[in-house]
C-alpha cells in the first residue's frame, strides 16, 4: 500500500532536514471560494450539490471543473518526489486525463496531482466524477491527506486495482484488465487503519463515469458510490487535509506490462472534483 512508501520517504526527509509540513497553507480561501462560483456548464454554484445529499445542508467550497489545468491550484507531483518530465496528463473538453505512459527510461511512472499548500479542509463532503483506466498495474486513486510532523492521516475515497484478483477486476477477451471494485479506507496514521472495505461495484468502472465521494464528520467517515452509501468508518480525524488524485502503478494491481494500454486513449478521466462544508452546523 502507499502508506509503506510514504513512511520510508518521510523518514528520509526527516533525516535530511527537509521540512514536509507544519507551515500555514499558501492558498487563499476567498479565492478558492470565488473559483467555486464558476462552472464550465454555466449552471451556477447552487446547482452543484453533493449527489444524493440534501443541498440545504452544504455550502460549496471547492469546485474544479477542469475548464483548463490550473498550475496555481495543482502540484504535478507529491511533495517527496520531483515531477517526471514525460507528459502523461492534460485537460481536454472539460475533462482531466491522466494516462499510463513509459518515460525515457522505458518504465511506467507515477503521476500525482494534489492541492498541497493550495487548498485544504477539515470535515465536509468530497466528490469526484471519474472513469477509471484499464490495464494490469494501474492504480488510480482519489484521497485526502495531510503530513503534519511525523503523522500521516489519510482518507482513501477510491483506489482501484484492475490487475488484482477478482473482485478487483477481470481480464477481457483482449487480455486487458478492467476494474470492477475499489477500496475505501481511513488511516489514522501511517499503517494504522481505522477501517477499510473492498467494494465490489459489479460493473466495469472503466466503461462510464461514476461519482466517488466521502462525507467526513467529527467521529466518522461515510463513503458513497453514485450517491449510495457503501461503507462507514468510526474515526476521529481532526487534521485539515488536502486533495490528491493520482495514477500510480503496482500494489494489488500487479506490475504493468505490455498488456497495459498506454496513451491518452486509456486515461483516468476526471470530469470534476468538488468539496462542500456543512452549513449552519457546529463542528468541533
Amino acid at each position: 500500500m502507499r502508506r509503506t512508501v510514504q513512511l520510508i520517504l518521510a523518514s528520509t526527509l526527516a533525516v535530511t532536514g527537509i521540512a514536509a509540513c507544519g507551515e500555514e497553507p499558501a492558498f487563499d480561501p476567498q479565492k478558492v471560494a470565488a473559483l467555486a462560483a464558476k462552472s464550465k456548464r454555466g449552471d451556477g454554484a447552487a446547482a452543484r450539490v453533493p449527489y444524493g445529499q440534501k443541498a440545504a445542508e452544504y455550502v460549496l467550497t471547492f469546485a474544479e471543473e477542469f475548464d483548463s489545468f490550473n498550475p496555481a491550484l495543482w502540484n504535478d507531483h507529491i511533495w517527496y518526489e520531483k515531477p517526471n518530465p514525460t507528459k502523461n496528463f492534460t485537460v481536454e473538453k472539460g475533462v482531466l486525463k491522466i494516462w499510463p505512459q513509459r518515460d525515457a527510461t522505458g518504465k511506467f511512472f507515477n503521476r500525482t496531482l494534489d492541492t498541497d499548500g493550495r487548498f485544504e479542509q477539515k470535515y465536509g463532503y468530497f466528490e469526484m466524477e471519474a472513469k477509471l483506466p484499464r490495464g494490469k498495474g494501474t492504480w488510480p486513486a482519489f484521497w485526502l491527506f495531510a503530513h503534519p510532523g511525523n503523522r500521516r492521516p489519510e482518507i482513501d475515497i477510491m483506489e482501484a486495482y484492475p490487475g488484482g484478483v477478482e473482485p478487483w477486476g477481470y481480464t477481457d477477451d483482449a487480455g486487458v484488465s478492467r476494474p470492477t471494485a475499489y477500496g475505501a479506507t481511513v488511516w489514522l496514521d501511517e499503517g494504522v487503519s481505522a477501517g477499510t472495505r473492498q467494494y465490489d461495484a459489479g460493473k466495469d468502472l472503466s466503461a462510464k463515469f461514476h461519482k466517488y465521494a466521502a462525507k467526513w464528520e467529527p467521529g466518522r467517515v461515510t463513503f458513497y458510490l453514485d450517491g449510495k452509501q457503501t461503507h462507514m468508518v468510526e474515526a476521529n480525524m481532526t487534521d485539515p487535509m488536502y486533495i490528491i488524485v493520482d495514477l500510480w502503478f503496482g500494489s494489488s494491481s500487479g506490475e504493468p506490462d505490455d498488456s497495459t494500454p498506454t496513451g491518452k486513449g486509456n486515461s483516468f478521466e476526471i470530469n470534476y472534483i468538488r468539496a462542500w462544508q456543512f452549513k449552519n452546523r457546529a463542528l468541533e
Side-chain angles (χ1 to χ4, degrees):
M1 302 295 284
R2 71 180 79 240
R3 271 59 54 176
T4 303
V5 176
Q6 289 172 344
L7 179 59
I8 294 172
L9 290 168
S11 298
T12 302
L13 291 172
V15 170
T16 56
I18 300 175
C21 54
E23 298 179 357
E24 288 297 317
F27 68 87
D28 183 336
Q30 292 183 337
K31 290 183 179 179
V32 173
L35 288 173
K38 298 180 179 180
S39 169
K40 64 190 175 193
R41 300 171 188 81
D43 54 9
R48 298 193 304 283
V49 299
Y51 189 76
Q53 302 289 308
K54 295 180 180 179
E57 296 180 356
Y58 297 91
V59 57
L60 186 67
T61 55
F62 181 92
E64 175 55 276
E65 307 296 333
F66 295 112
D67 297 293
S68 61
F69 182 76
N70 183 0
L73 185 60
W74 296 98
N75 304 302
D76 64 356
H77 62 290
I78 203 163
W79 92 91
Y80 51 71
E81 294 180 344
K82 293 182 179 180
N84 193 301
T86 302
K87 181 177 175 60
N88 75 323
F89 72 96
T90 191
V91 169
E92 289 184 347
K93 298 179 180 179
V95 176
L96 170 66
K97 298 182 178 182
I98 312 172
W99 58 86
Q101 192 68 48
R102 297 179 187 270
D103 62 15
T105 70
K107 296 180 179 180
F108 288 90
F109 62 94
N110 297 338
R111 177 65 70 187
T112 303
L113 303 177
D114 66 45
T115 64
D116 188 7
R118 317 296 178 89
F119 172 81
E120 64 179 17
Q121 183 169 301
K122 178 180 176 181
Y123 304 136
Y125 196 91
F126 301 81
E127 182 179 285
M128 171 188 72
E129 186 177 71
K131 183 166 65 173
L132 306 188
R134 311 179 309 279
K136 181 181 177 182
T138 56
W139 180 12
F142 171 46
W143 43 306
L144 308 178
F145 188 61
H147 43 88
N150 294 322
R151 294 186 300 107
R152 300 292 180 263
E154 177 176 340
I155 299 174
D156 295 331
I157 301 173
M158 183 285 298
E159 51 184 351
Y161 309 94
V165 298
E166 294 184 8
W168 285 123
Y170 72 97
T171 302
D172 64 20
D173 293 340
V176 177
S177 299
R178 292 176 175 268
T180 56
Y182 67 95
T185 309
V186 175
W187 298 91
L188 300 176
D189 200 350
E190 191 82 37
V192 183
S193 172
T196 186
R197 183 181 181 187
Q198 179 182 6
Y199 182 72
D200 183 3
K203 62 188 73 176
D204 180 1
L205 298 173
S206 69
K208 60 183 295 186
F209 284 87
H210 295 279
K211 296 176 175 63
Y212 303 88
K215 180 164 62 175
W216 173 17
E217 305 169 90
R220 66 183 174 188
V221 181
T222 308
F223 297 93
Y224 300 84
L225 175 64
D226 294 330
K228 174 186 175 182
Q229 181 176 330
T230 60
H231 184 46
M232 193 274 286
V233 175
E234 293 184 357
N236 191 29
M237 310 290 285
T238 60
D239 294 284
M241 298 191 196
Y242 59 88
I243 297 170
I244 301 181
V245 61
D246 67 55
L247 179 56
W248 291 7
F249 296 89
S251 189
S252 296
S253 192
E255 292 302 315
D257 56 25
D258 290 341
S259 73
T260 308
T262 59
K264 196 185 301 182
N266 182 33
S267 290
F268 180 15
E269 298 187 33
I270 302 164
N271 191 33
Y272 65 76
I273 297 175
R274 299 170 184 162
W276 296 261
Q277 190 53 273
F278 301 111
K279 185 188 296 185
N280 301 324
R281 180 171 170 181
L283 300 173
E284 62 180 25

